[in-house]
Structure formats: structure tokens, C-alpha cells
């Protein structure tokens, strides 16, 4: 509702009232007036409408400052680390060991952070961990400032300096599922930092997948570029193609063009959202011969006298010829 952030006509008025509410909460004298007469007690008048308006105003105040937290148990902090996998490990899944400097509960204070015999109920919140603020019709709770919401005070443990945990080397087994993708996060529940008043945090492991020399991945598909001879592209052939599941024989149809794609069903990655495997896509790259002999050149010349093209190829060639002719005409 700040006028600089909100262009609505009512924004300035609401922001002014929020400031007024903040002043009420920060002034003992104004709180006493509000306790007795409500919102209108601050303005010097009283009516029923003022109380209804005050309820809306304090709701706006709570929303504006993000509300008031209660002293419910807080989860420990999460830990983040990374794990590098080979291309094949990500495809087929693997169990890996990771070593982390893990926080564990201090044995001396049992994770409470308090030196033995010094833990006492907070005399400000009476052990509830909450402070209660009453303003007229409203009762608001927030974490106790003296004990930070834990409900007790103490002298810090001399072994962990009051942290409640110490860090020790720890080895964990991480089961990586088949088909995991690059930068996926795997969560190990409860392996994060411990908490004095709640559950442990989690360990998040970001997966980094190394690139493969030949294969590329796109979702559940595997892509590979395969070079073939000009004669195989023209006449057709059966060639051996590598896949992540082993080699397989693929038929190259006669007249295959450079850049054509051939799908090999079921030779891709295991699908993570449904059963089955993706496909492997073969990208054909026709390799043109170099350093031809005189005999080979003569054969190509003879071939050129009789070569023929399908209708699509003729259309492309004719369009290209027309484009060249038009360019020459412009230059002349």
C-alpha cells in the first residue's frame, strides 16, 4: 500500500492508517486509549463503525508486515550439496556415496544448546515461547523476544557454544533413479541441520550430468549424429548404430538426404512419468568424398548426365536457379 509502490487512489490513505496503527502499538498511552475506546479513542470520538474499521485496519497492518509468527517448532536449516554423474549413470540410475560435514546433535547437551542445569523456563513468556499483545478487541501473539520463542533461557553449552550441534564427517548412500536429468534436486529428508525445538532440516543434492562424446539427451530421447558414405546414402545400406543399450542394425533407405532423421524406438531413456522408454534419434550426415581419382571423376560426370530428381527436389532446384538468375539480372 505504499504510495510509491501502489498507484491506486486509496493507497495513500491506507498507508497513513497503517502508520497510525504502528504508532498505537508502539505507544503505551495510545494503546491505553485504544483499549478503552477503540480506534475512535485515538481520533477523539467513539461509534460502532469505528470498531469495525479498526478490525480492517489491523488486518491491513498484519498483512503489510507479513503477519505475526507463533512459536510453533521450527525445522532445522536445509543443507545443499552437488553430485556429479556420468551420462550413463544418469540414464540407468546408480547408488553413490557422498561425504558431507554433517551437523549432529551435541552429546553433552542433547541438542538443546544449554549447559546442564542452567535451562529454566523463560520468566517473560512463562515457558510458552510467545508474547501476547492485547489492543482493544485484538489479541496478537509473537515470538518471545527474551527467549527467541523457545520458551526457556540457559547458559550456552561449553562443547557446542550453544548451537546444539557439532559437525562431523558423514558418509551417505544416495540412490539416484534411472532417467534423472541435469540439475535435478534429490532430497534426503531429515539429513539437514538439527533443530532445538522441531524436526531436522533436509539435505538437497543437485545432480550435475557430464556430457557424452557422442550422445545428446532431450527429455526421454537420445540423439546421435551418424556419418554415412555418399554411396550408402544413394543406394541404401544397413549399418551398425551405437545406442546406450548396445549396438543395433539400422536400415538406411535409398536416397537418404543429409540431415534426415531415423528413429530407433525404445532405445532412449526410461520415462520418469510413465512406463516405457523414449526413442533414439539418428541424425544422418552424408560425408562427401574428397581427392577423387580420375576414374571416379569420370564416373561422377557420367552419373551427372543421367541423374534424376523427385518432384520436391526439382522444385527446390528450380527455385534456386530462378533466384540466381534474378540476382544476375539485377547486377546487370
Amino acid at each position: 500500500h505504499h504510495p510509491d509502490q501502489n498507484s491506486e487512489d486509496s493507497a495513500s490513505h491506507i498507508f497513513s492508517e497503517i502508520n497510525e496503527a504502528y504508532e498505537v502499538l508502539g505507544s503505551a498511552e495510545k494503546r491505553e486509549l485504544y483499549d478503552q475506546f477503540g480506534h475512535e479513542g485515538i481520533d477523539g470520538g467513539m461509534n460502532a463503525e469505528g470498531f469495525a474499521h479498526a478490525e480492517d485496519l489491523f488486518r491491513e497492518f498484519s498483512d503489510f508486515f507479513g503477519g505475526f509468527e507463533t512459536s510453533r517448532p521450527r525445522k532445522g536449516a536445509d543443507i545443499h550439496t552437488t553430485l556429479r554423474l556420468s551420462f550413463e549413470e544418469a540414464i540407468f540410475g546408480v547408488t553413490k556415496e557422498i561425504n558431507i560435514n554433517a551437523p549432529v546433535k551435541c552429546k553433552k547437551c542433547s541438542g538443546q544448546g544449554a549447559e546442564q542445569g542452567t535451562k529454566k523456563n523463560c520468566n517473560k513468556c512463562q515457558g510458552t515461547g510467545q508474547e501476547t499483545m492485547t489492543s482493544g478487541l485484538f489479541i496478537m501473539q509473537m515470538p518471545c523476544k527474551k527467549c527467541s520463542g523457545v520458551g526457556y533461557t540457559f547458559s550456552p553449552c561449553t562443547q557446542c557454544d550453544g548451537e546444539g550441534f557439532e559437525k562431523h564427517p558423514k558418509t551417505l548412500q544416495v540412490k539416484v533413479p534411472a532417467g534423472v536429468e541435469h540439475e535435478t534436486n534429490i532430497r534426503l529428508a531429515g539429513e539437514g541441520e538439527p533443530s532445538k525445538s522441531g524436526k531436522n532440516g533436509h539435505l538437497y543434492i543437485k545432480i550435475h550430468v557430464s556430457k557424452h562424446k557422442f550422445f545428446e539427451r532431450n527429455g526421454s530421447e537420445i540423439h546421435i549424429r551418424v556419418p554415412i558414405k555418399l554411396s550408402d546414402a544413394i543406394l541404401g545400406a544397413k549399418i551398425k548404430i551405437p545406442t546406450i543399450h548396445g549396438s543395433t542394425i539400422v536400415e538406411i533407405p535409398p536416397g537418404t538426404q543429409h540431415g534426415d532423421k531415423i528413429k530407433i524406438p525404445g532405445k532412449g531413456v526410461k520415462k520418469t512419468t510413465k512406463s516405457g522408454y523414449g526413442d533414439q534419434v539418428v541424425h544422418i550426415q552424408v560425408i562427401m568424398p574428397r581427392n577423387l581419382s580420375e576414374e571416379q571423376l569420370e564416373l561422377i560426370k557420367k552419373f551427372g548426365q543421367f541423374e534424376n530428381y523427385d518432384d520436391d527436389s526439382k522444385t527446390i532446384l528450380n527455385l534456386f536457379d530462378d533466384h540466381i538468375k534474378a540476382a544476375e539480372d539485377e547486377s546487370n
Side-chain angles (χ1 to χ4, degrees), residues 27-73:
S27 168
E29 182 180 353
K30 289 187 177 182
R31 280 204 308 271
E32 183 177 354
L33 286 172
Y34 185 86
D35 290 344
Q36 293 177 351
F37 307 114
H39 176 76
E40 299 302 314
I42 307 302
D43 294 338
M46 295 177 288
N47 57 49
E49 183 181 355
F51 286 98
H53 177 70
E55 183 178 357
D56 294 336
L57 181 58
F58 276 95
R59 186 182 295 113
E60 293 278 359
F61 179 78
S62 179
D63 291 342
F64 183 82
F65 290 100
F68 297 97
E69 297 181 1
T70 64
S71 61
R72 60 187 176 186

Side-chain angles (χ1 to χ4, degrees), residues 138 239 247:
F138 311 106
I239 62 175
S247 297

Side-chain angles (χ1 to χ4, degrees), residues 153-178:
T153 59
F154 58 89
S155 297
C157 171
T158 56
Q159 185 165 324
C160 65
D161 295 326
E163 292 293 329
F165 58 86
E166 301 174 281
K167 291 190 175 182
H168 295 281
K170 186 177 183 180
T171 300
L172 296 171
Q173 298 284 328
V174 182
K175 187 174 182 181
V176 181

Side-chain angles (χ1 to χ4, degrees), residues 83-94 96 176-183 207-225 242-246 267-270 277 279-281:
L83 177 62
R84 182 166 293 278
L85 301 178
S86 69
F87 190 86
E88 290 83 0
E89 287 174 334
I91 299 299
F92 296 109
V94 67
K96 303 278 282 188
V176 181
V180 67
E181 296 201 51
H182 181 66
E183 293 194 337
I207 299 299
H208 287 257
V209 181
S210 300
K211 292 184 177 181
H212 196 276
K213 187 175 181 180
F214 302 113
F215 298 119
E216 294 179 10
R217 179 180 176 181
N218 183 13
S220 62
E221 287 186 340
I222 296 292
H223 294 253
I224 186 173
R225 291 173 174 80
T243 78
I244 57 172
H245 303 280
K267 295 298 184 180
V269 184
K270 183 179 180 181
Y277 288 76
D279 303 327
Q280 176 163 310
V281 182

Side-chain angles (χ1 to χ4, degrees), residues 135-147:
S135 295
L137 299 177
F138 311 106
I139 299 176
M140 291 172 286
Q141 291 182 326
M142 59 189 68
C144 175
K145 294 179 180 178
K146 184 173 183 178
C147 67

